[in-house]
Amino acid sequence: MKKFFALCCGAAMLFVLTACGSFVSIMPGAADETEDEVSASISPQLDQTEDGDFTEKSFYAFMGWDDFGSNYYEDTPVALSCQEGSGSASPVFDRASIIAACDALKDMTVTGRADEDAAQEGTSCTYAFTMSDGTVYSVTFNGSVLTTYTGSYTYTGGDALFALTFPVYDSGYDLFDLYFDDSVRAFADGFEENLPVSVGRRSNGGATITATDEDTIRTVFSLLANATVTSVEGSPDQNIDLTTYTDYIFTMADGTAYTFTFTDACLTVTVSGDYGPVYYWLSGTETLASISIVPQTETEAFEGGLITGLRDDFQTAADAASGDSELTVTGVYVSYSIDGQSGYLTLSGDTAVSLVQAVTSITATSESQTEAEGDTITISVTLSDGSGPILYFIGDAIQQVVGTYYVCDSGSMSTLRTTILSLATDSSNTGEVVEDSTN
């Protein structure tokens, strides 16, 4: 008898511990749930009479979301996402849609238990409300059935929720709609009437190369405008390279700039700092990176000498590195593929200045090449005013403009390659950031 009693007590304690403890996921890549997130998970409040009949309840009361349901006008969620089946969780950020969804749930009544077979019909749709403190309230519907971990339930109302549209699941959204910003929408709608004066491309925070010709401006815009949103990346830290990003910057006549950022191949949009960035996979932007955006510099024949004679922006960087200018070198980004080794470096301080001095001291001959091949080195210099050149080397040649290369001193190029690989070794890992704050 005592053993039986002890067994019962142990089972009861185990039940209490498992019922009250915070759930911690052990799935790879899954985030641990905090107590707030757990408390906001679906927790329907069952109410049945002694004979088993179900007592109807409002949605918020049934789910145990009374505080949320009474405060959403003052404490409005920062985002509402929809996930159909196993697809992407696609968010919207406009207050009108979020309030409409909350109002729709307020008008919903949970009427009873549903036939379990009904929950297997159709495609499930999960709606998740994200609060500014990170708490998430989520609920799943499958047609006329509300699905929770306690079972399936019938309900009435909610039509306004199901009428809402979301990117990915509705073709009415274009790339510019993803920003939920009236100024971005106006920029897109008025593009031809108020054509930008330039479009620039900036990689990994380096210098911006800019084109002012209308054909290039229209080409970049057209690719963005005609892109299709295919999905939202749910695990960006696992599936995309978060260290590689490119900005496309349209500058208007009044100086206003509109920036569109791609991380790896995903358009990256941050509407709410509380929600964080959203990474969209697109179709139709694959050729963006291949568009030639050439700085407007002189391209007359080069007679030989320092490579600073090839372009004015090379000379500007050299003057900044040598102290012959009010400008200073604030950073250098290097990407390379040398002897089968590929990676990148981010340099600052004396290390950055020294590399610029070494590079701009390289000499080149007057011999031009229309084609070059070999190791590739791209050096993006950022100066104190935000400008700066991008120097592109391939083999023992340096690019003046797209398609035109000049042959450099082979000894200097060998030294440059050795220097870059040495910096990569010093960082303990090719591709890791190298910092030097001694300047």
Side-chain angles (χ1 to χ4, degrees), residues 338-368:
I338 302 172
D339 292 336
Q341 300 183 52
S342 298
Y344 66 88
L345 301 167
T346 300
L347 311 176
S348 61
D350 291 340
T351 306
V353 172
S354 295
L355 186 66
V356 174
Q357 290 173 337
V359 169
T360 53
S361 296
I362 293 175
T363 59
T365 71
S366 60
E367 180 183 354
S368 64

Side-chain angles (χ1 to χ4, degrees), residues 308-324:
T308 52
L310 286 166
R311 285 184 10 201
D312 292 341
D313 54 349
F314 290 178
Q315 183 63 61
T316 299
D319 292 341
S322 64
D324 294 333

Side-chain angles (χ1 to χ4, degrees), residues 82-84 86-91 166-170 173 178 227-236 239-240 262 265-269 278-284:
C82 172
Q83 179 177 2
E84 293 185 3
S86 59
S88 306
S90 180
F166 296 82
V168 178
Y169 300 113
D170 188 281
Y173 287 84
L178 303 177
T228 300
V229 182
T230 58
S231 64
V232 176
E233 178 53 60
S235 302
N239 297 325
I240 62 177
F262 286 79
C266 289
L267 178 74
T268 307
V269 181
V278 183
Y279 300 91
Y280 295 95
W281 288 100
L282 307 177
S283 174

Side-chain angles (χ1 to χ4, degrees), residues 333-346 375-379 392-393 416-417 419-425 427 429-432 434:
Y333 175 83
V334 182
S335 62
Y336 62 88
S337 178
I338 302 172
D339 292 336
Q341 300 183 52
S342 298
Y344 66 88
L345 301 167
T346 300
D375 296 331
T376 58
I377 302 172
T378 302
I379 299 175
Y392 181 66
F393 298 90
L416 176 61
R417 287 189 283 266
T419 299
I420 290 172
L421 291 179
S422 177
L423 287 170
T425 301
S427 69
N429 192 345
T430 299
E432 190 164 331
V434 174

Side-chain angles (χ1 to χ4, degrees), residues 137-197:
Y137 295 83
S138 62
V139 59
T140 301
F141 296 95
N142 198 334
S144 60
V145 174
L146 164 64
T147 303
T148 77
Y149 68 88
T150 64
S152 301
Y153 301 86
T154 56
Y155 63 87
T156 59
D159 292 346
L161 171 64
F162 308 126
L164 294 175
T165 60
F166 296 82
V168 178
Y169 300 113
D170 188 281
S171 59
Y173 287 84
D174 65 15
L175 179 148
F176 306 106
D177 292 324
L178 303 177
Y179 290 83
F180 293 89
D181 185 327
D182 291 342
S183 66
V184 175
R185 184 71 264 168
F187 159 75
D189 293 342
F191 179 80
E192 283 298 334
E193 293 74 19
N194 189 19
L195 194 71
V197 296

Side-chain angles (χ1 to χ4, degrees), residues 71-347:
N71 293 316
Y72 63 81
Y73 270 92
E74 292 74 26
D75 186 15
T76 305
V78 297
L80 165 63
S81 67
C82 172
Q83 179 177 2
E84 293 185 3
S86 59
S88 306
S90 180
V92 294
F93 296 90
D94 61 300
R95 191 173 190 275
S97 294
I98 295 171
I99 292 295
C102 295
D103 286 344
L105 293 178
K106 187 175 184 178
D107 293 335
M108 183 180 289
T109 300
V110 181
T111 56
R113 287 191 175 275
D115 184 337
E116 289 300 323
D117 292 337
Q120 308 303 318
E121 299 175 359
T123 301
S124 65
C125 187
T126 299
Y127 295 92
F129 298 85
T130 301
M131 311 303 292
S132 60
D133 64 359
T135 301
V136 177
Y137 295 83
S138 62
V139 59
T140 301
F141 296 95
N142 198 334
S144 60
V145 174
L146 164 64
T147 303
T148 77
Y149 68 88
T150 64
S152 301
Y153 301 86
T154 56
Y155 63 87
T156 59
D159 292 346
L161 171 64
F162 308 126
L164 294 175
T165 60
F166 296 82
V168 178
Y169 300 113
D170 188 281
S171 59
Y173 287 84
D174 65 15
L175 179 148
F176 306 106
D177 292 324
L178 303 177
Y179 290 83
F180 293 89
D181 185 327
D182 291 342
S183 66
V184 175
R185 184 71 264 168
F187 159 75
D189 293 342
F191 179 80
E192 283 298 334
E193 293 74 19
N194 189 19
L195 194 71
V197 296
S198 69
V199 62
R201 180 163 55 210
R202 178 175 58 214
S203 298
N204 300 299
T208 302
I209 53 175
T210 303
T212 57
D213 64 287
E214 294 184 358
D215 287 344
T216 302
I217 296 170
R218 286 191 171 94
T219 298
V220 175
F221 176 81
S222 178
L223 288 174
L224 297 177
N226 293 311
T228 300
V229 182
T230 58
S231 64
V232 176
E233 178 53 60
S235 302
D237 56 329
Q238 299 178 26
N239 297 325
I240 62 177
D241 182 0
L242 298 178
T243 67
T244 301
Y245 58 95
T246 303
D247 300 319
Y248 292 89
I249 307 163
F250 293 92
T251 301
M252 313 305 290
D254 64 359
T256 302
Y258 297 92
T259 302
F260 303 90
T261 299
F262 286 79
T263 303
D264 204 344
C266 289
L267 178 74
T268 307
V269 181
T270 302
V271 177
S272 165
D274 295 320
Y275 188 88
V278 183
Y279 300 91
Y280 295 95
W281 288 100
L282 307 177
S283 174
T285 57
E286 295 81 7
T287 59
L288 260 179
S290 63
I291 294 177
S292 175
I293 299 179
V294 182
Q296 302 302 301
T297 56
E298 297 296 328
T299 59
E300 64 268 11
F302 179 62
E303 299 300 329
L306 293 177
I307 64 171
T308 52
L310 286 166
R311 285 184 10 201
D312 292 341
D313 54 349
F314 290 178
Q315 183 63 61
T316 299
D319 292 341
S322 64
D324 294 333
S325 168
E326 294 182 357
L327 299 176
T328 58
V329 175
T330 60
V332 173
Y333 175 83
V334 182
S335 62
Y336 62 88
S337 178
I338 302 172
D339 292 336
Q341 300 183 52
S342 298
Y344 66 88
L345 301 167
T346 300
L347 311 176

